[in-house]
Amino acid sequence: MTGDQETGADRDLPGAFGAMSDTTRVTFVIPSLGAGGAERSLEVSLPGLVERGIEPRVVVFHRRAQGSHAVVERSGVQVHVVEGSRLRRVVELRRVLLAEPTDLVHTSVVAADIAGRLAARAAGLASVGTLVNTTYELSRLDDPNVSRPALEVNRAVDATTARLSVGFRAITEAVKESAVRRMRLDPDRIEVIPRGRVLGRFAVTSDDRARVRERFGVDDDVLVVGNVARHEHQKGLDLLVEALAELVLRDRQVLLVQAGRDGNASDELRRRIARLGMDSHVELLGHVDDVAADVLPGLDVFAFPSRYEGLGGALIEAMAAGLPIVTSDLPVTREVTDGSAVLVPVGDVEALADGIERAPGATDRATTIDRAGRFALDDVLDREAAWLRRCADSARR
């Protein structure tokens, strides 16, 4: 799970790159097709983009066992793996781009953005990019894995190579605003198009709830709090564990069910769970292929304590399931939840604990589901496909 985990089933896609006519041929460049938000979003978008006249192929830098790689390959879309140093990736990516005709190069996530822009320019092709996070906000410096010099160097390289792209898609207004302010991108070159979800997959029935809670081994009197995220400082899982420990001190029967792959914060997260004596109150599930079926139905509250975000795909999924939500008060989360969630100050453990207790009675299921409707996949893909065609047409001219 780029971030955030998204569900997806195997889907059939027609043909390989070069097999269709009267289409816009797009090469999608992304670091991997692993278990992240950007990766799974690309996976679930590809079928609908094909239906809308976009002919895709994908280039990645790493093959991941978990996530979307095998699903996309089985669908019939070509997936090229370009490995090696940063310079080697640019050289090999240029070779891939020149091997078969393409109208447009689309990049996502910083490493792929930089390499993809350079390779596209070297191949004489136009590139566009999806901006997926508020990557260069100074709040990132609170992460022990991030240094200010490295952040500033990456920002300078990213911002400089961004001038090679003909346009951008930002997944939220907050991401667009951050890119304009921190990377000095022209706002007129950025179109806001969110990520989409097949919202009907997240509908929850009473039978679903009973089945999943039985698997969790809990009765109805246990407050089950859920989260879906990779183990990174950004996601605030340390804060969530501490908030659950506060609820235990208040004599609440609680269980935290957390789905997501290991990351830089995994070791510290497990140490914190042990130090707080929370082992019996926390279930770390690791990567889960289908959170819609195996996690969300059993929850009483969905907690999203991120320190910063680009969109929060898992947040949309929880909204589509009609779950009571408590989330950090960020520009992105305010934009996405649109009044349907309990917002708490970033990093405030006691407020997070209070919000978890308050959310079931403070949010309305119908309103939450209604707010999720803005992220219906078909509507999003109509906009995305039209944007890709416009960019390709502009590049041809």
mmCIF file of all heavy atoms in Angstrom, residues 65-111:
data_model
loop_
_atom_site.group_PDB
_atom_site.id
_atom_site.type_symbol
_atom_site.label_atom_id
_atom_site.label_comp_id
_atom_site.label_asym_id
_atom_site.label_seq_id
_atom_site.Cartn_x
_atom_site.Cartn_y
_atom_site.Cartn_z
ATOM 1 N N ALA A 65 6.682 -8.073 -5.673
ATOM 2 C CA ALA A 65 5.876 -9.288 -5.533
ATOM 3 C C ALA A 65 4.458 -8.947 -5.087
ATOM 4 O O ALA A 65 3.492 -9.564 -5.527
ATOM 5 C CB ALA A 65 6.537 -10.232 -4.538
ATOM 6 N N GLN A 66 4.331 -7.973 -4.181
ATOM 7 C CA GLN A 66 3.011 -7.549 -3.709
ATOM 8 C C GLN A 66 2.508 -6.394 -4.560
ATOM 9 O O GLN A 66 3.283 -5.612 -5.093
ATOM 10 C CB GLN A 66 3.087 -7.094 -2.250
ATOM 11 C CG GLN A 66 3.358 -8.199 -1.258
ATOM 12 C CD GLN A 66 3.399 -7.672 0.171
ATOM 13 O OE1 GLN A 66 3.634 -6.492 0.395
ATOM 14 N NE2 GLN A 66 3.172 -8.549 1.133
ATOM 15 N N GLY A 67 1.198 -6.313 -4.679
ATOM 16 C CA GLY A 67 0.624 -5.160 -5.356
ATOM 17 C C GLY A 67 0.058 -5.465 -6.720
ATOM 18 O O GLY A 67 -0.545 -6.518 -6.946
ATOM 19 N N SER A 68 0.282 -4.542 -7.671
ATOM 20 C CA SER A 68 -0.444 -4.536 -8.933
ATOM 21 C C SER A 68 0.311 -5.102 -10.119
ATOM 22 O O SER A 68 -0.272 -5.267 -11.193
ATOM 23 C CB SER A 68 -0.847 -3.082 -9.269
ATOM 24 O OG SER A 68 -1.605 -2.518 -8.236
ATOM 25 N N HIS A 69 1.589 -5.408 -9.970
ATOM 26 C CA HIS A 69 2.408 -5.771 -11.128
ATOM 27 C C HIS A 69 1.831 -6.977 -11.878
ATOM 28 O O HIS A 69 1.612 -6.919 -13.100
ATOM 29 C CB HIS A 69 3.846 -6.060 -10.685
ATOM 30 C CG HIS A 69 4.826 -6.055 -11.813
ATOM 31 N ND1 HIS A 69 5.885 -5.179 -11.894
ATOM 32 C CD2 HIS A 69 4.916 -6.818 -12.933
ATOM 33 C CE1 HIS A 69 6.574 -5.396 -13.008
ATOM 34 N NE2 HIS A 69 6.000 -6.393 -13.642
ATOM 35 N N ALA A 70 1.593 -8.052 -11.164
ATOM 36 C CA ALA A 70 1.106 -9.268 -11.822
ATOM 37 C C ALA A 70 -0.282 -9.059 -12.420
ATOM 38 O O ALA A 70 -0.591 -9.590 -13.497
ATOM 39 C CB ALA A 70 1.081 -10.427 -10.826
ATOM 40 N N VAL A 71 -1.121 -8.269 -11.740
ATOM 41 C CA VAL A 71 -2.474 -8.016 -12.242
ATOM 42 C C VAL A 71 -2.418 -7.292 -13.582
ATOM 43 O O VAL A 71 -3.118 -7.655 -14.540
ATOM 44 C CB VAL A 71 -3.286 -7.196 -11.222
ATOM 45 C CG1 VAL A 71 -4.659 -6.848 -11.782
ATOM 46 C CG2 VAL A 71 -3.424 -7.953 -9.911
ATOM 47 N N VAL A 72 -1.582 -6.264 -13.670
ATOM 48 C CA VAL A 72 -1.480 -5.490 -14.909
ATOM 49 C C VAL A 72 -0.909 -6.352 -16.027
ATOM 50 O O VAL A 72 -1.391 -6.314 -17.167
ATOM 51 C CB VAL A 72 -0.629 -4.231 -14.678
ATOM 52 C CG1 VAL A 72 -0.363 -3.505 -15.999
ATOM 53 C CG2 VAL A 72 -1.330 -3.289 -13.697
ATOM 54 N N GLU A 73 0.097 -7.160 -15.721
ATOM 55 C CA GLU A 73 0.667 -8.035 -16.755
ATOM 56 C C GLU A 73 -0.364 -9.031 -17.263
ATOM 57 O O GLU A 73 -0.458 -9.271 -18.476
ATOM 58 C CB GLU A 73 1.889 -8.769 -16.200
ATOM 59 C CG GLU A 73 3.137 -7.909 -16.106
ATOM 60 C CD GLU A 73 4.366 -8.720 -15.763
ATOM 61 O OE1 GLU A 73 4.257 -9.655 -14.947
ATOM 62 O OE2 GLU A 73 5.441 -8.418 -16.304
ATOM 63 N N ARG A 74 -1.144 -9.629 -16.349
ATOM 64 C CA ARG A 74 -2.154 -10.599 -16.777
ATOM 65 C C ARG A 74 -3.238 -9.960 -17.627
ATOM 66 O O ARG A 74 -3.872 -10.629 -18.434
ATOM 67 C CB ARG A 74 -2.786 -11.282 -15.556
ATOM 68 C CG ARG A 74 -1.881 -12.290 -14.866
ATOM 69 C CD ARG A 74 -2.679 -13.193 -13.939
ATOM 70 N NE ARG A 74 -3.329 -12.455 -12.874
ATOM 71 C CZ ARG A 74 -2.790 -12.232 -11.680
ATOM 72 N NH1 ARG A 74 -1.561 -12.665 -11.424
ATOM 73 N NH2 ARG A 74 -3.447 -11.565 -10.751
ATOM 74 N N SER A 75 -3.423 -8.662 -17.452
ATOM 75 C CA SER A 75 -4.466 -7.971 -18.218
ATOM 76 C C SER A 75 -4.095 -7.790 -19.683
ATOM 77 O O SER A 75 -4.943 -7.480 -20.505
ATOM 78 C CB SER A 75 -4.746 -6.610 -17.587
ATOM 79 O OG SER A 75 -3.701 -5.698 -17.877
ATOM 80 N N GLY A 76 -2.822 -7.968 -20.022
ATOM 81 C CA GLY A 76 -2.384 -7.809 -21.402
ATOM 82 C C GLY A 76 -1.647 -6.520 -21.681
ATOM 83 O O GLY A 76 -1.160 -6.307 -22.794
ATOM 84 N N VAL A 77 -1.547 -5.638 -20.698
ATOM 85 C CA VAL A 77 -0.787 -4.405 -20.870
ATOM 86 C C VAL A 77 0.697 -4.710 -20.727
ATOM 87 O O VAL A 77 1.117 -5.418 -19.804
ATOM 88 C CB VAL A 77 -1.206 -3.349 -19.823
ATOM 89 C CG1 VAL A 77 -0.280 -2.131 -19.866
ATOM 90 C CG2 VAL A 77 -2.642 -2.910 -20.061
ATOM 91 N N GLN A 78 1.508 -4.195 -21.647
ATOM 92 C CA GLN A 78 2.955 -4.390 -21.565
ATOM 93 C C GLN A 78 3.504 -3.663 -20.342
ATOM 94 O O GLN A 78 3.183 -2.508 -20.096
ATOM 95 C CB GLN A 78 3.644 -3.827 -22.805
ATOM 96 C CG GLN A 78 3.372 -4.579 -24.093
ATOM 97 C CD GLN A 78 4.115 -3.958 -25.261
ATOM 98 O OE1 GLN A 78 4.873 -3.019 -25.101
ATOM 99 N NE2 GLN A 78 3.875 -4.475 -26.452
ATOM 100 N N VAL A 79 4.344 -4.364 -19.580
ATOM 101 C CA VAL A 79 5.045 -3.754 -18.455
ATOM 102 C C VAL A 79 6.538 -3.984 -18.665
ATOM 103 O O VAL A 79 7.011 -5.123 -18.642
ATOM 104 C CB VAL A 79 4.600 -4.347 -17.101
ATOM 105 C CG1 VAL A 79 5.356 -3.661 -15.963
ATOM 106 C CG2 VAL A 79 3.099 -4.200 -16.909
ATOM 107 N N HIS A 80 7.279 -2.913 -18.901
ATOM 108 C CA HIS A 80 8.727 -2.984 -19.073
ATOM 109 C C HIS A 80 9.392 -2.652 -17.740
ATOM 110 O O HIS A 80 9.014 -1.679 -17.082
ATOM 111 C CB HIS A 80 9.201 -1.990 -20.122
ATOM 112 C CG HIS A 80 8.636 -2.220 -21.488
ATOM 113 N ND1 HIS A 80 9.264 -3.008 -22.429
ATOM 114 C CD2 HIS A 80 7.492 -1.773 -22.067
ATOM 115 C CE1 HIS A 80 8.541 -3.026 -23.531
ATOM 116 N NE2 HIS A 80 7.457 -2.295 -23.336
ATOM 117 N N VAL A 81 10.390 -3.428 -17.349
ATOM 118 C CA VAL A 81 11.159 -3.158 -16.137
ATOM 119 C C VAL A 81 12.508 -2.589 -16.551
ATOM 120 O O VAL A 81 13.292 -3.252 -17.236
ATOM 121 C CB VAL A 81 11.345 -4.430 -15.284
ATOM 122 C CG1 VAL A 81 12.139 -4.104 -14.016
ATOM 123 C CG2 VAL A 81 9.997 -5.043 -14.928
ATOM 124 N N VAL A 82 12.776 -1.354 -16.140
ATOM 125 C CA VAL A 82 14.028 -0.669 -16.456
ATOM 126 C C VAL A 82 14.793 -0.500 -15.144
ATOM 127 O O VAL A 82 14.374 0.256 -14.274
ATOM 128 C CB VAL A 82 13.751 0.703 -17.108
ATOM 129 C CG1 VAL A 82 15.044 1.506 -17.230
ATOM 130 C CG2 VAL A 82 13.094 0.524 -18.462
ATOM 131 N N GLU A 83 15.898 -1.206 -15.000
ATOM 132 C CA GLU A 83 16.642 -1.213 -13.746
ATOM 133 C C GLU A 83 17.961 -0.466 -13.896
ATOM 134 O O GLU A 83 18.321 -0.019 -14.981
ATOM 135 C CB GLU A 83 16.892 -2.654 -13.303
ATOM 136 C CG GLU A 83 15.612 -3.442 -13.038
ATOM 137 C CD GLU A 83 15.875 -4.885 -12.664
ATOM 138 O OE1 GLU A 83 16.692 -5.527 -13.340
ATOM 139 O OE2 GLU A 83 15.273 -5.341 -11.676
ATOM 140 N N GLY A 84 18.676 -0.333 -12.772
ATOM 141 C CA GLY A 84 19.994 0.276 -12.805
ATOM 142 C C GLY A 84 20.036 1.618 -12.102
ATOM 143 O O GLY A 84 19.105 2.018 -11.395
ATOM 144 N N SER A 85 21.146 2.332 -12.293
ATOM 145 C CA SER A 85 21.344 3.643 -11.684
ATOM 146 C C SER A 85 20.368 4.649 -12.277
ATOM 147 O O SER A 85 19.670 4.368 -13.254
ATOM 148 C CB SER A 85 22.775 4.115 -11.924
ATOM 149 O OG SER A 85 22.979 4.344 -13.320
ATOM 150 N N ARG A 86 20.344 5.847 -11.714
ATOM 151 C CA ARG A 86 19.436 6.876 -12.223
ATOM 152 C C ARG A 86 19.747 7.204 -13.682
ATOM 153 O O ARG A 86 18.826 7.360 -14.496
ATOM 154 C CB ARG A 86 19.544 8.133 -11.355
ATOM 155 C CG ARG A 86 19.030 7.926 -9.935
ATOM 156 C CD ARG A 86 19.188 9.180 -9.104
ATOM 157 N NE ARG A 86 18.734 8.969 -7.729
ATOM 158 C CZ ARG A 86 18.788 9.885 -6.778
ATOM 159 N NH1 ARG A 86 19.271 11.093 -7.047
ATOM 160 N NH2 ARG A 86 18.357 9.620 -5.563
ATOM 161 N N LEU A 87 21.033 7.333 -13.995
ATOM 162 C CA LEU A 87 21.399 7.634 -15.377
ATOM 163 C C LEU A 87 21.050 6.474 -16.291
ATOM 164 O O LEU A 87 20.529 6.677 -17.405
ATOM 165 C CB LEU A 87 22.898 7.936 -15.470
ATOM 166 C CG LEU A 87 23.444 8.211 -16.876
ATOM 167 C CD1 LEU A 87 22.714 9.394 -17.504
ATOM 168 C CD2 LEU A 87 24.951 8.450 -16.821
ATOM 169 N N ARG A 88 21.287 5.251 -15.822
ATOM 170 C CA ARG A 88 20.983 4.077 -16.625
ATOM 171 C C ARG A 88 19.489 3.987 -16.917
ATOM 172 O O ARG A 88 19.076 3.611 -18.028
ATOM 173 C CB ARG A 88 21.456 2.808 -15.908
ATOM 174 C CG ARG A 88 21.275 1.527 -16.703
ATOM 175 C CD ARG A 88 22.174 1.534 -17.916
ATOM 176 N NE ARG A 88 22.073 0.284 -18.665
ATOM 177 C CZ ARG A 88 22.650 0.081 -19.838
ATOM 178 N NH1 ARG A 88 23.400 1.033 -20.380
ATOM 179 N NH2 ARG A 88 22.515 -1.061 -20.467
ATOM 180 N N ARG A 89 18.683 4.334 -15.941
ATOM 181 C CA ARG A 89 17.236 4.301 -16.155
ATOM 182 C C ARG A 89 16.826 5.255 -17.269
ATOM 183 O O ARG A 89 15.974 4.919 -18.093
ATOM 184 C CB ARG A 89 16.509 4.685 -14.861
ATOM 185 C CG ARG A 89 16.584 3.658 -13.745
ATOM 186 C CD ARG A 89 16.000 4.242 -12.487
ATOM 187 N NE ARG A 89 16.177 3.372 -11.343
ATOM 188 C CZ ARG A 89 15.937 3.744 -10.086
ATOM 189 N NH1 ARG A 89 15.503 4.977 -9.841
ATOM 190 N NH2 ARG A 89 16.127 2.906 -9.091
ATOM 191 N N VAL A 90 17.409 6.446 -17.266
ATOM 192 C CA VAL A 90 17.064 7.415 -18.310
ATOM 193 C C VAL A 90 17.432 6.875 -19.681
ATOM 194 O O VAL A 90 16.640 6.957 -20.639
ATOM 195 C CB VAL A 90 17.767 8.759 -18.047
ATOM 196 C CG1 VAL A 90 17.531 9.729 -19.211
ATOM 197 C CG2 VAL A 90 17.269 9.380 -16.739
ATOM 198 N N VAL A 91 18.631 6.294 -19.798
ATOM 199 C CA VAL A 91 19.095 5.758 -21.078
ATOM 200 C C VAL A 91 18.200 4.616 -21.546
ATOM 201 O O VAL A 91 17.761 4.567 -22.710
ATOM 202 C CB VAL A 91 20.557 5.284 -20.960
ATOM 203 C CG1 VAL A 91 20.992 4.557 -22.232
ATOM 204 C CG2 VAL A 91 21.474 6.468 -20.685
ATOM 205 N N GLU A 92 17.911 3.681 -20.645
ATOM 206 C CA GLU A 92 17.088 2.532 -21.013
ATOM 207 C C GLU A 92 15.641 2.929 -21.274
ATOM 208 O O GLU A 92 14.985 2.375 -22.158
ATOM 209 C CB GLU A 92 17.153 1.466 -19.909
ATOM 210 C CG GLU A 92 18.491 0.748 -19.826
ATOM 211 C CD GLU A 92 18.821 0.046 -21.129
ATOM 212 O OE1 GLU A 92 17.985 -0.749 -21.596
ATOM 213 O OE2 GLU A 92 19.896 0.306 -21.690
ATOM 214 N N LEU A 93 15.141 3.894 -20.511
ATOM 215 C CA LEU A 93 13.779 4.357 -20.728
ATOM 216 C C LEU A 93 13.662 5.025 -22.096
ATOM 217 O O LEU A 93 12.680 4.818 -22.821
ATOM 218 C CB LEU A 93 13.373 5.317 -19.617
ATOM 219 C CG LEU A 93 11.977 5.939 -19.696
ATOM 220 C CD1 LEU A 93 10.904 4.882 -19.867
ATOM 221 C CD2 LEU A 93 11.710 6.775 -18.448
ATOM 222 N N ARG A 94 14.660 5.811 -22.484
ATOM 223 C CA ARG A 94 14.649 6.409 -23.821
ATOM 224 C C ARG A 94 14.592 5.321 -24.891
ATOM 225 O O ARG A 94 13.854 5.441 -25.879
ATOM 226 C CB ARG A 94 15.889 7.281 -24.018
ATOM 227 C CG ARG A 94 16.028 7.850 -25.430
ATOM 228 C CD ARG A 94 17.315 8.652 -25.566
ATOM 229 N NE ARG A 94 17.466 9.151 -26.934
ATOM 230 C CZ ARG A 94 18.017 8.468 -27.918
ATOM 231 N NH1 ARG A 94 18.484 7.230 -27.704
ATOM 232 N NH2 ARG A 94 18.118 9.002 -29.132
ATOM 233 N N ARG A 95 15.346 4.251 -24.688
ATOM 234 C CA ARG A 95 15.347 3.151 -25.651
ATOM 235 C C ARG A 95 13.962 2.525 -25.759
ATOM 236 O O ARG A 95 13.480 2.243 -26.866
ATOM 237 C CB ARG A 95 16.370 2.088 -25.227
ATOM 238 C CG ARG A 95 16.466 0.901 -26.191
ATOM 239 C CD ARG A 95 17.405 -0.157 -25.649
ATOM 240 N NE ARG A 95 16.930 -0.675 -24.372
ATOM 241 C CZ ARG A 95 15.950 -1.561 -24.240
ATOM 242 N NH1 ARG A 95 15.320 -2.022 -25.323
ATOM 243 N NH2 ARG A 95 15.590 -1.983 -23.050
ATOM 244 N N VAL A 96 13.297 2.317 -24.635
ATOM 245 C CA VAL A 96 11.945 1.749 -24.636
ATOM 246 C C VAL A 96 10.977 2.683 -25.356
ATOM 247 O O VAL A 96 10.131 2.248 -26.147
ATOM 248 C CB VAL A 96 11.474 1.477 -23.198
ATOM 249 C CG1 VAL A 96 9.989 1.092 -23.175
ATOM 250 C CG2 VAL A 96 12.305 0.374 -22.551
ATOM 251 N N LEU A 97 11.093 3.978 -25.102
ATOM 252 C CA LEU A 97 10.187 4.947 -25.721
ATOM 253 C C LEU A 97 10.336 4.984 -27.234
ATOM 254 O O LEU A 97 9.357 5.185 -27.966
ATOM 255 C CB LEU A 97 10.433 6.341 -25.144
ATOM 256 C CG LEU A 97 10.102 6.533 -23.662
ATOM 257 C CD1 LEU A 97 10.491 7.930 -23.207
ATOM 258 C CD2 LEU A 97 8.621 6.271 -23.390
ATOM 259 N N LEU A 98 11.566 4.792 -27.702
ATOM 260 C CA LEU A 98 11.809 4.832 -29.147
ATOM 261 C C LEU A 98 11.493 3.508 -29.841
ATOM 262 O O LEU A 98 11.380 3.462 -31.066
ATOM 263 C CB LEU A 98 13.273 5.208 -29.418
ATOM 264 C CG LEU A 98 13.663 6.649 -29.064
ATOM 265 C CD1 LEU A 98 15.163 6.838 -29.227
ATOM 266 C CD2 LEU A 98 12.894 7.644 -29.921
ATOM 267 N N ALA A 99 11.345 2.432 -29.067
ATOM 268 C CA ALA A 99 11.151 1.108 -29.670
ATOM 269 C C ALA A 99 9.790 0.974 -30.327
ATOM 270 O O ALA A 99 9.647 0.256 -31.329
ATOM 271 C CB ALA A 99 11.327 0.021 -28.606
ATOM 272 N N GLU A 100 8.762 1.623 -29.768
ATOM 273 C CA GLU A 100 7.416 1.568 -30.328
ATOM 274 C C GLU A 100 6.806 2.954 -30.281
ATOM 275 O O GLU A 100 7.118 3.740 -29.381
ATOM 276 C CB GLU A 100 6.536 0.583 -29.544
ATOM 277 C CG GLU A 100 7.013 -0.858 -29.599
ATOM 278 C CD GLU A 100 6.084 -1.787 -28.847
ATOM 279 O OE1 GLU A 100 4.852 -1.594 -28.942
ATOM 280 O OE2 GLU A 100 6.575 -2.687 -28.169
ATOM 281 N N PRO A 101 5.926 3.272 -31.206
ATOM 282 C CA PRO A 101 5.344 4.624 -31.244
ATOM 283 C C PRO A 101 4.587 4.950 -29.965
ATOM 284 O O PRO A 101 3.903 4.099 -29.387
ATOM 285 C CB PRO A 101 4.399 4.582 -32.434
ATOM 286 C CG PRO A 101 4.862 3.425 -33.263
ATOM 287 C CD PRO A 101 5.425 2.432 -32.307
ATOM 288 N N THR A 102 4.714 6.182 -29.517
ATOM 289 C CA THR A 102 3.930 6.668 -28.386
ATOM 290 C C THR A 102 3.623 8.140 -28.615
ATOM 291 O O THR A 102 4.418 8.878 -29.206
ATOM 292 C CB THR A 102 4.676 6.456 -27.053
ATOM 293 O OG1 THR A 102 3.803 6.791 -25.974
ATOM 294 C CG2 THR A 102 5.923 7.314 -26.961
ATOM 295 N N ASP A 103 2.459 8.569 -28.153
ATOM 296 C CA ASP A 103 2.045 9.953 -28.329
ATOM 297 C C ASP A 103 2.387 10.815 -27.124
ATOM 298 O O ASP A 103 2.530 12.029 -27.242
ATOM 299 C CB ASP A 103 0.530 10.027 -28.571
ATOM 300 C CG ASP A 103 0.111 9.275 -29.816
ATOM 301 O OD1 ASP A 103 0.690 9.531 -30.886
ATOM 302 O OD2 ASP A 103 -0.786 8.417 -29.717
ATOM 303 N N LEU A 104 2.496 10.171 -25.954
ATOM 304 C CA LEU A 104 2.642 10.938 -24.726
ATOM 305 C C LEU A 104 3.299 10.057 -23.660
ATOM 306 O O LEU A 104 3.022 8.861 -23.576
ATOM 307 C CB LEU A 104 1.262 11.391 -24.238
ATOM 308 C CG LEU A 104 1.172 12.488 -23.189
ATOM 309 C CD1 LEU A 104 1.706 13.806 -23.740
ATOM 310 C CD2 LEU A 104 -0.270 12.660 -22.736
ATOM 311 N N VAL A 105 4.164 10.657 -22.846
ATOM 312 C CA VAL A 105 4.773 9.979 -21.695
ATOM 313 C C VAL A 105 4.162 10.575 -20.439
ATOM 314 O O VAL A 105 4.172 11.790 -20.240
ATOM 315 C CB VAL A 105 6.304 10.162 -21.696
ATOM 316 C CG1 VAL A 105 6.914 9.481 -20.467
ATOM 317 C CG2 VAL A 105 6.911 9.617 -22.973
ATOM 318 N N HIS A 106 3.599 9.713 -19.602
ATOM 319 C CA HIS A 106 2.963 10.148 -18.357
ATOM 320 C C HIS A 106 3.782 9.626 -17.183
ATOM 321 O O HIS A 106 4.083 8.432 -17.104
ATOM 322 C CB HIS A 106 1.531 9.611 -18.268
ATOM 323 C CG HIS A 106 0.866 9.948 -16.972
ATOM 324 N ND1 HIS A 106 1.126 9.271 -15.808
ATOM 325 C CD2 HIS A 106 -0.043 10.910 -16.649
ATOM 326 C CE1 HIS A 106 0.405 9.781 -14.821
ATOM 327 N NE2 HIS A 106 -0.309 10.779 -15.312
ATOM 328 N N THR A 107 4.151 10.515 -16.244
ATOM 329 C CA THR A 107 4.971 10.109 -15.107
ATOM 330 C C THR A 107 4.235 10.337 -13.792
ATOM 331 O O THR A 107 3.407 11.238 -13.680
ATOM 332 C CB THR A 107 6.294 10.898 -15.081
ATOM 333 O OG1 THR A 107 6.030 12.280 -14.776
ATOM 334 C CG2 THR A 107 7.017 10.809 -16.426
ATOM 335 N N SER A 108 4.558 9.493 -12.801
ATOM 336 C CA SER A 108 4.001 9.624 -11.448
ATOM 337 C C SER A 108 5.067 9.257 -10.431
ATOM 338 O O SER A 108 5.791 8.268 -10.626
ATOM 339 C CB SER A 108 2.801 8.692 -11.243
ATOM 340 O OG SER A 108 1.738 9.017 -12.096
ATOM 341 N N VAL A 109 5.145 10.011 -9.341
ATOM 342 C CA VAL A 109 6.060 9.824 -8.222
ATOM 343 C C VAL A 109 7.452 10.326 -8.624
ATOM 344 O O VAL A 109 7.907 10.097 -9.747
ATOM 345 C CB VAL A 109 6.084 8.375 -7.726
ATOM 346 C CG1 VAL A 109 6.921 8.248 -6.451
ATOM 347 C CG2 VAL A 109 4.656 7.859 -7.472
ATOM 348 N N VAL A 110 8.133 10.977 -7.700
ATOM 349 C CA VAL A 110 9.288 11.814 -8.021
ATOM 350 C C VAL A 110 10.358 11.108 -8.841
ATOM 351 O O VAL A 110 10.835 11.635 -9.855
ATOM 352 C CB VAL A 110 9.887 12.398 -6.734
ATOM 353 C CG1 VAL A 110 11.160 13.183 -7.051
ATOM 354 C CG2 VAL A 110 8.876 13.309 -6.043
ATOM 355 N N ALA A 111 10.785 9.912 -8.432
ATOM 356 C CA ALA A 111 11.863 9.228 -9.154
ATOM 357 C C ALA A 111 11.496 9.006 -10.618
ATOM 358 O O ALA A 111 12.324 9.184 -11.522
ATOM 359 C CB ALA A 111 12.198 7.899 -8.480
#
